[in-house]
């Protein structure tokens, strides 16, 4: 089947999609957007987090056909050309990235948190990022990065 | 695999009648795990996310009627004041990503003994509305669960909605797990004090082949409150009565030993959860009276 959707503001068409294919597979394998990572395919790790019609979801749990006609924003859609989004910049500067596999999902989930809660507490950050697993950093620097981004975005 | 995408409720029912073997998908948080891991490959799949009727809720007489496609995130945001017990349970489901997508209808569809929406629905004796092209029927949620991961829907039926009384008193939900998010309950307990109907409601999760109520515990505690006129003049409830309530809740469970916990642990935890839940809820009732 064919899926037509808007990804990062651009109309996209994916052809010969199998009916059981996830949005994650469509994004990575059909549309050439490898930013969203595939680690567990069962909603546990959050590394495939994207916006679907403005809502944070795990792309691996959305059936491709469910995204037909919808608007998707992936991590690739957050930066402004070559200049990183303040959330991305903060992750780099705070040392919140080691292997980087979890980073795209955490960046999107942090972006979602900060548009709802501009100055989150540690507890609110932990709650909001509970569905994003990182096996490298131990989370302390991720929490630093969220505070750093929140401070800069609030000041801007 | 065939992909069906109805855009209205009548169309969804017609498609289900024509393809009774088709698997419905709402938020996909259970279905997609099965499909991705190749545990189950349905012949056809019906996407219900275009059926606007399922995402609506409103009043019906004394009850709230809530479409099966309303997500946990919306239950928390839009119904938290009227359904505090279900909202508490919803807050413990998965992560933000899961709560944004997962629905109570999907929880009912999966009918897992560990489904977190089930204990609060049992505690408030909610009704499940099933529909097919032949019409619709409503049954008490306690009759909806018929076995582990099995529910009473017929092949041609879809879950339309659930109906529930808005809270008339304090409600609680507690869940035992290894961390504060993303856990399947080792066991869980929901309590509803219903001063309007002079009723105590309970729901137990993950401690029997299906979610169950603790009917003896409910009757016992309602009796204690009635006898001493405590609904009208709430004062402290005797500690021995609260302990007995906990024992009766534990006795209603039929737990097994599994990877998440032993049967003995589950029983013990349930009696603790029941005592604490009652104590918290009663304090709140006393304060509000
Ligand atoms: C990472 C993760 C964490 C989770 N954590 C929890 C948790 O803490 N607590 C918990 O209870 N659950 C949890 N779940 C399970 C799941 O999120 C819930 O069961 C959720 O309520 C399912 O809703 P859904 O809309 O996504 O259902 P779907 O996956 O779309 O469907 C689930 C089942 O219901 C059927 N169905 C859906 N809608 C209808 C309908 N209208 N009529 C008939 N049948 C229907 C489907 O065919 C399927 O069998 C978790 C899942 C994941 C992936
Ligand atoms: S790949 Fe989607 S949550 Fe892990
Ligand atoms: S940096 Fe390696 S998983 Fe997070």
């Amino acid at each position: 089947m064919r899926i037509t959707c808007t990804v990062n503001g651009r109309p996209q068409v994916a052809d010969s999609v199998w009916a059981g294919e996830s949005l994650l597979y469509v994004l990575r394998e059909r549309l050439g957007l490898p930013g969203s990572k595939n680690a567990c395919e069962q909603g546990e790790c959050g590394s495939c987090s994207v916006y679907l019609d403005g809502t944070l979801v795990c792309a691996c749990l959305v059936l491709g056909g469910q995204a037909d006609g919808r608007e998707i924003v992936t991590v690739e859609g957050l930066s402004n050309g070559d200049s990183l989004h303040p959330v991305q910049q903060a992750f780099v500067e705070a040392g919140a990235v080691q292997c980087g596999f979890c980073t795209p999902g955490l960046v999107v989930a942090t972006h979602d948190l900060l548009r709802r809660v501009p100055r989150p507490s540690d507890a609110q950050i932990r709650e909001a990022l509970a569905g994003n697993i990182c096996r490298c950093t131990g989370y302390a620097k991720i929490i630093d990065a969220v505070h750093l981004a929140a401070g800069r975005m609030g000041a801007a | 695999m065939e992909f069906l995408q109805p855009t209205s409720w009548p169309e969804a029912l017609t498609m289900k009648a024509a393809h009774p073997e088709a698997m419905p998908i709402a938020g996909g948080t259970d279905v997609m795990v099965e499909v991705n891991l190749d545990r189950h490959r349905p012949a056809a799949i019906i996407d219900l996310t275009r059926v606007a009727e399922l995402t609506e809720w409103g009043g019906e007489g004394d009850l709230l009627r809530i479409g099966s496609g309303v997500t946990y995130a919306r239950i928390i945001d839009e119904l938290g004041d009227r359904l505090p017990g279900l909202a508490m349970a919803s807050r413990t489901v998965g992560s933000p990503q899961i709560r944004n997508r997962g629905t109570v209808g999907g929880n009912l569809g999966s009918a897992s003994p560990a489904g977190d929406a089930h204990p609060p629905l049992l505690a408030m004796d909610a009704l499940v509305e099933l529909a097919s092209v032949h019409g619709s029927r409503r049954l008490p949620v306690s009759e909806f669960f018929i076995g582990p991961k099995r529910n009473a829907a017929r092949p041609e039926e879809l879950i339309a909605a659930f109906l529930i009384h808005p809270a008339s008193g304090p409600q609680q939900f507690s869940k035992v797990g290894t961390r504060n998010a993303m856990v399947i309950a080792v066991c869980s307990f929901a309590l509803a004090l219903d001063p309007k109907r002079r009723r105590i409601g309970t729901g137990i999760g993950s401690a029997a082949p299906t979610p169950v109520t603790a009917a003896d515990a409910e009757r016992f505690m309602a009796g204690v409150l009635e006898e001493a006129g405590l609904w009208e003049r709430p004062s402290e409830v005797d500690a021995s009565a609260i302990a007995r309530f906990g024992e009766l809740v534990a006795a209603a469970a039929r737990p097994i030993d599994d990877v998440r916990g032993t049967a003995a642990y589950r029983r013990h935890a349930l009696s603790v959860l029941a005592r604490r839940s009652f104590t918290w809820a009663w304090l709140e009732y006393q304060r509000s009276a």
Side-chain angles (χ1 to χ4, degrees):
Chain A
M1 62 190 219
R2 162 176 286 198
I3 292 173
T4 311
C5 53
T6 305
V7 185
N8 301 328
R10 259 196 257 130
Q12 295 274 14
V13 180
D15 272 313
S16 22
V17 171
W18 173 61
E21 230 165 88
S22 71
L23 171 61
L24 179 60
Y25 191 91
V26 172
L27 289 171
R28 290 177 56 86
E29 310 299 332
R30 310 250 177 222
L31 301 179
L33 291 166
S36 318
K37 298 291 177 253
N38 176 355
C40 72
E41 291 198 279
Q42 43 183 321
E44 296 280 346
C45 75
S47 56
C48 64
S49 299
V50 300
Y51 286 112
L52 176 66
D53 280 351
T55 302
L56 183 73
V57 303
C58 294
C60 70
L61 299 182
V62 176
L63 190 63
Q66 292 185 306
D68 188 50
R70 306 287 195 203
E71 242 175 79
I72 295 123
V73 175
T74 70
V75 69
E76 287 100 335
L78 297 185
S79 60
N80 185 1
D82 279 344
S83 63
L84 294 181
H85 186 277
V87 172
Q88 294 172 307
Q89 190 62 39
F91 268 68
V92 172
E93 287 178 33
V97 182
Q98 286 188 27
C99 81
F101 207 83
C102 66
T103 311
L106 275 159
V107 165
V108 179
T110 301
H111 185 274
D112 180 53
L113 168 65
L114 295 182
R115 52 179 203 154
R116 290 179 290 113
V117 189
R119 294 307 292 255
S121 64
D122 279 10
Q124 285 172 314
I125 296 171
R126 286 177 189 282
E127 188 68 40
L129 302 183
N132 291 80
I133 289 176
C134 174
R135 290 294 81 158
C136 302
T137 66
Y139 301 103
K141 298 203 168 183
I142 290 173
I143 291 173
D144 293 346
V146 179
H147 285 303
L148 183 61
R152 287 186 183 160
M153 288 164 72
Chain B
M1 189 189 296
E2 204 175 343
F3 182 65
L4 306 162
Q5 196 164 54
T7 54
S8 72
W9 186 229
E11 193 188 356
L13 295 176
T14 307
M15 283 181 173
K16 187 66 170 140
H19 302 266
E21 77 295 344
M23 177 182 259
I25 182 169
T29 60
D30 280 321
V31 169
M32 287 305 288
V33 174
E34 301 278 303
V35 172
N36 289 342
L37 303 187
D38 233 343
R39 284 195 201 127
H40 183 64
R41 187 161 287 190
I45 204 156
I46 301 189
D47 175 29
L48 297 176
T49 55
R50 307 287 154 120
V51 180
E53 290 95 321
L54 296 181
T55 64
E56 291 161 3
W57 62 265
E60 193 189 291
D62 287 348
L63 296 167
L64 289 166
R65 181 181 180 279
I66 299 164
S68 61
V70 175
T71 60
Y72 294 110
R74 287 185 56 209
I75 301 260
I76 295 165
D77 289 347
E78 299 168 26
L79 289 157
D81 53 343
R82 275 159 284 197
L83 300 174
L86 184 60
M88 281 173 116
S90 301
R91 280 188 208 100
T92 77
V93 172
S95 61
Q97 289 91 327
I98 302 298
R99 296 192 288 275
N100 282 343
R101 218 42 212 156
T103 64
V104 174
N107 211 228
L108 288 167
S110 294
S112 160
D116 286 319
H118 307 150
L121 295 185
L122 284 167
M124 284 302 283
D125 60 357
L127 300 170
V128 180
E129 183 178 312
L130 299 168
S132 74
V133 287
H134 306 298
S136 69
R137 61 185 177 123
R138 291 173 174 181
L139 67 168
V141 65
S142 56
E143 290 169 29
F144 178 75
F145 306 113
I146 56 173
K149 304 203 174 176
R150 287 180 50 232
N151 69 54
R154 300 182 189 122
E156 74 281 8
E157 283 179 326
L158 290 171
I159 303 165
F162 62 97
L163 295 100
I164 188 166
H165 285 274
S168 80
Q171 301 186 347
Q172 284 291 335
F173 175 81
S174 338
K175 164 173 167 181
V176 175
T178 44
R179 74 180 265 229
N180 208 14
M182 303 285 276
V183 287
I184 307 184
V186 175
C187 62
S188 63
F189 180 69
L191 175 74
L193 301 193
D194 193 344
K196 206 163 147 202
R197 292 187 287 163
R198 291 286 188 263
R199 202 180 146 271
I200 300 288
T202 60
I204 297 172
S206 233
T210 66
V212 291
T213 59
D216 289 343
E218 293 178 358
R219 269 191 301 272
F220 167 75
M221 192 48 97
V224 169
L225 299 181
E226 203 64 66
E227 227 166 83
L230 290 176
W231 286 117
E232 295 80 9
R233 286 165 272 94
S235 56
E236 213 166 298
V237 174
D238 197 45
S240 65
I242 299 177
R244 181 72 190 135
F245 178 69
E247 283 166 21
L248 288 170
V249 167
R254 275 181 293 139
I256 53 167
D257 293 339
D258 69 13
V259 287
R260 279 176 281 139
T262 62
Y265 174 76
R266 285 186 159 101
R267 260 193 227 285
H268 174 70
L270 277 171
S271 72
V272 175
L273 295 184
R275 284 202 310 266
R276 287 188 190 162
S277 302
F278 183 83
T279 306
W280 293 326
W282 190 250
L283 271 176
E284 190 185 331
Y285 184 65
Q286 280 182 283
R287 262 187 256 119
S288 69

